[in-house]
Amino acid sequence: MDIRIKATDYQMTPEVSSYLDERIATIEKLLGNEASSARLEVEIARAAGNQRHGDHMWRAEFLLH
């Protein structure tokens, strides 16, 4: 699988990277034989707006082609 990871306004930590690897492995498992021809684009970013704290401060987006 072709995997592209982008971090926007965010410095990737080892903990987040490890968690992301687990989620990607789950997606690969679900795709089975189709995983070799798939492309996964992941973006982890700070949410837009003026909010500085709370549950809605970060977002993650997965696009599977």
Side-chain angles (χ1 to χ4, degrees):
M1 181 168 13
D2 180 18
I3 302 169
R4 300 172 188 193
I5 300 173
K6 178 180 176 184
T8 305
D9 295 331
Y10 179 72
Q11 182 66 37
M12 187 82 71
T13 63
E15 293 82 9
V16 171
S17 181
S18 176
Y19 182 75
L20 187 57
D21 290 341
E22 291 175 21
R23 298 300 100 203
I24 291 171
T26 301
I27 292 170
E28 285 180 314
K29 183 179 176 182
L30 289 172
L31 291 175
N33 294 335
E34 301 295 320
S36 62
S37 63
R39 182 175 79 207
L40 179 64
E41 297 176 8
V42 179
E43 181 179 6
I44 299 175
R46 177 180 286 270
N50 294 330
Q51 187 169 353
R52 300 281 182 217
H53 62 282
D55 293 337
H56 303 289
M57 188 170 147
W58 307 101
R59 70 178 180 86
E61 184 176 304
F62 285 67
L63 295 173
L64 182 62
H65 302 275

